[in-house]
């Protein structure tokens, strides 16, 4: 990321490049290789925010290899006026995300290509654990008491099959050829946009990404607990002094389909406080947070943490704010506001 900034890339471009590079790795819980939902899909969230606090985000997107690219496309289009007094969206969720990615020429693949061996193994383990828990908690339900774990597993969590994972909800056309006729062929999988937000060009080729379906990929040597890592994010400051932040996540493993996590929500997982127009010091704060999304949402985690740091303040028991040392701000926020 430093190299791109030295070449004159904007903070937004640098954040996008850094996150897209991490999304390319199956070792991160972002983009291809992310956690899998209960019904066997990879659904990704991503957000990018500039120094003015303007943002673009995508939630529960299927089949988009690098969701941060889609968030960036949404961010850039959100600043363009639309006809009929329509407000351009800065957050797109679900199937519309896939269709928009195709429209913008971003790399899209079938669900089977999004699932890594590690994520598939984790999904199968969670599926069996759920079946065992249901059997143990049958509580007089004779059908479940008499059924085997395998039968309960089949009843409550359908068998995973890469071939059956390609559906109209993953790809909103009956076949890939139909999608290509509508939007044109997908971009070269190894290609990456080489245009910065200022129009300058850079050599931004990303590391190679294997698009082999999980059933044919090499198995990982990592332990089960280490195979899926956490949400990813990046903060950058460019040569003009502008800050930007972004995050990307595949969400909690074995979650309900359509669940939106903090990585898709500006102010929850990612937040930027712009510099005040007349502030000679041009103080600005960018924050990224990760954890159980439902808890982060209830406390507006990224936004609240940013404000505490910006104002060097702690919330007291009577609801007032008092000034504290910068080093103590986040510790006090986690212990007070969040926990």
């Amino acid at each position: 990321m430093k190299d791109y900034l030295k070449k004159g890339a904007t903070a937004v471009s640098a954040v996008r490049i850094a996150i897209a590079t991490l999304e390319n790795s199956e070792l991160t819980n972002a983009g291809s290789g992310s956690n899998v939902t209960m019904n066997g899909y990879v659904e990704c969230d991503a957000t990018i925010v500039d120094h003015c606090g303007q943002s673009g985000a995508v939630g529960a997107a299927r089949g988009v290899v690098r969701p941060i690219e889609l968030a960036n496309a949404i961010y850039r289009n959100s600043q363009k006026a639309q006809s009929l007094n329509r407000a351009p969206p800065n957050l797109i969720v679900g199937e519309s995300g896939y269709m928009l990615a195709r429209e913008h020429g971003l790399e899209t693949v079938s669900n089977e290509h999004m699932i890594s061996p590690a994520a598939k193994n984790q999904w199968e383990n969670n599926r069996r654990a759920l079946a065992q828990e249901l059997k143990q908690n049958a509580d007089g339900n004779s059908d479940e008491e008499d059924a085997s774990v395998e039968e309960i597993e089949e009843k409550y969590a359908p068998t995973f099959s890469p071939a059956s994972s390609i559906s109209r909800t993953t790809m909103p056309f009956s076949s890939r050829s139909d999608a290509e006729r509508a939007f044109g062929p997908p971009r070269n999988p190894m290609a990456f946009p080489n245009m910065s937000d200022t129009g300058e060009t850079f050599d931004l080729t990303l590391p190679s990404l294997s698009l082999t379906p999980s059933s044919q990929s090499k198995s990982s040597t990592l332990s089960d607990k280490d195979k899926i890592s956490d949400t990813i994010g990046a903060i950058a400051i460019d040569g003009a002094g502008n800050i930007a932040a972004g995050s990307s996540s595949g969400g909690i493993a074995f979650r309900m389909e359509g669940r939106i996590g903090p990585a898709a929500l500006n102010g929850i997982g990612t937040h930027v406080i712009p510099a005040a127009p007349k502030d000679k010091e041009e103080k600005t704060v960018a924050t990224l947070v990760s954890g159980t999304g439902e808890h982060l949402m209830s406390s507006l985690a990224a936004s609240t943490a940013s404000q505490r740091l910006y104002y060097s303040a702690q919330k007291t028991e009577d609801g007032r704010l008092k000034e504290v040392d910068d080093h103590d701000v986040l510790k006090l926020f986690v212990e007070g506001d969040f926990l």
Side-chain angles (χ1 to χ4, degrees):
M1 186 162 68
K2 289 182 180 179
D3 292 338
Y4 298 130
L5 288 169
K6 288 179 180 178
K7 292 178 182 178
T10 65
V12 169
S13 290
V15 165
R16 174 174 60 91
I17 294 161
I19 293 177
T21 302
L22 293 172
E23 288 174 334
N24 249 23
S25 171
E26 291 184 353
L27 297 179
T28 63
N29 181 29
S32 179
S34 292
N35 286 334
V36 181
T37 67
M38 182 179 290
N39 287 342
Y41 292 97
V42 172
E43 296 184 344
C44 296
D45 304 329
T47 298
I48 196 162
V49 188
D50 70 9
H51 67 286
C52 296
Q54 295 179 323
S55 64
V58 60
R62 296 181 182 177
V64 182
V65 175
R66 289 181 286 271
I68 195 65
E69 288 186 336
L70 179 54
N72 182 67
I74 294 168
Y75 155 74
R76 297 187 71 172
N77 279 275
S78 71
Q79 301 172 51
K80 298 178 181 178
Q82 292 191 348
S83 61
L84 303 178
N85 294 319
R86 292 174 299 159
N90 57 10
L91 170 62
I92 298 291
V93 300
E95 185 176 312
S96 296
Y98 176 89
M99 296 178 70
L100 192 62
R102 295 288 307 190
E103 235 179 286
H104 285 272
L106 302 179
E107 186 183 354
T108 55
V109 295
S110 63
N111 189 60
E112 65 178 315
H113 285 88
M114 292 292 291
I115 300 174
S116 67
K120 180 182 177 183
N121 290 339
Q122 184 189 47
W123 183 87
E124 290 173 339
N125 291 336
N126 284 331
R127 180 172 175 268
R128 177 161 289 270
L130 175 62
Q132 291 173 340
E133 181 178 310
L134 290 171
K135 184 171 178 61
Q136 291 171 1
N137 299 331
D139 194 24
N141 186 327
S142 58
D143 290 339
E144 292 184 6
E145 284 181 333
D146 296 336
S148 67
V149 171
E150 288 75 14
E151 290 171 333
I152 298 176
E153 194 174 355
E154 181 64 28
K155 178 180 178 181
Y156 288 98
T159 302
F160 174 79
S161 170
S164 66
S165 295
I166 306 174
S167 69
R168 282 179 294 177
T169 52
T170 301
M171 185 174 289
F173 299 92
S174 59
S175 69
R176 186 169 193 135
S177 60
D178 288 344
E180 291 179 8
R181 278 193 291 273
F183 294 125
R187 181 190 301 167
N188 182 334
M190 298 305 116
F192 190 75
N194 66 344
M195 188 71 68
S196 79
D197 300 301
T198 59
E200 298 169 295
T201 57
F202 305 97
D203 178 15
L204 305 181
T205 303
L206 290 177
S208 297
L209 171 65
S210 171
L211 298 181
T212 305
S214 62
S215 58
Q216 300 175 10
S217 299
K218 296 181 181 178
S219 60
S220 174
T221 57
L222 298 174
S223 66
D224 288 341
K225 290 183 179 180
D226 293 332
K227 285 178 180 175
I228 300 296
S229 122
D230 201 357
T231 296
I232 60 174
I235 295 174
I237 301 176
D238 59 30
N242 294 325
I243 199 169
S247 57
S248 179
S249 177
I252 297 173
F254 216 63
R255 67 197 177 282
M256 180 183 291
E257 289 182 51
R259 180 258 191 189
I260 303 296
L265 301 173
N266 186 13
I268 307 296
T270 309
H271 190 65
V272 171
I273 296 181
K278 296 183 179 181
D279 181 6
K280 294 181 179 180
E281 295 182 351
E282 296 184 340
K283 182 169 68 173
T284 181
V285 176
T287 305
L288 303 173
V289 300
S290 177
T292 302
E294 286 67 23
H295 298 165
L296 298 175
M297 292 176 198
S298 64
S299 62
L300 300 175
S303 174
T304 304
S306 293
Q307 292 182 48
R308 295 285 188 273
L309 192 58
Y310 186 87
Y311 295 107
S312 299
Q314 174 200 3
K315 188 176 181 180
T316 62
E317 292 183 357
D318 61 2
R320 300 176 183 276
L321 296 178
K322 71 173 184 179
E323 188 172 347
V324 294
D325 187 271
D326 285 351
H327 297 291
D328 295 329
V329 170
L330 295 183
K331 180 176 181 292
L332 293 169
F333 163 71
V334 172
E335 294 176 348
D337 295 79
F338 184 65
L339 295 180

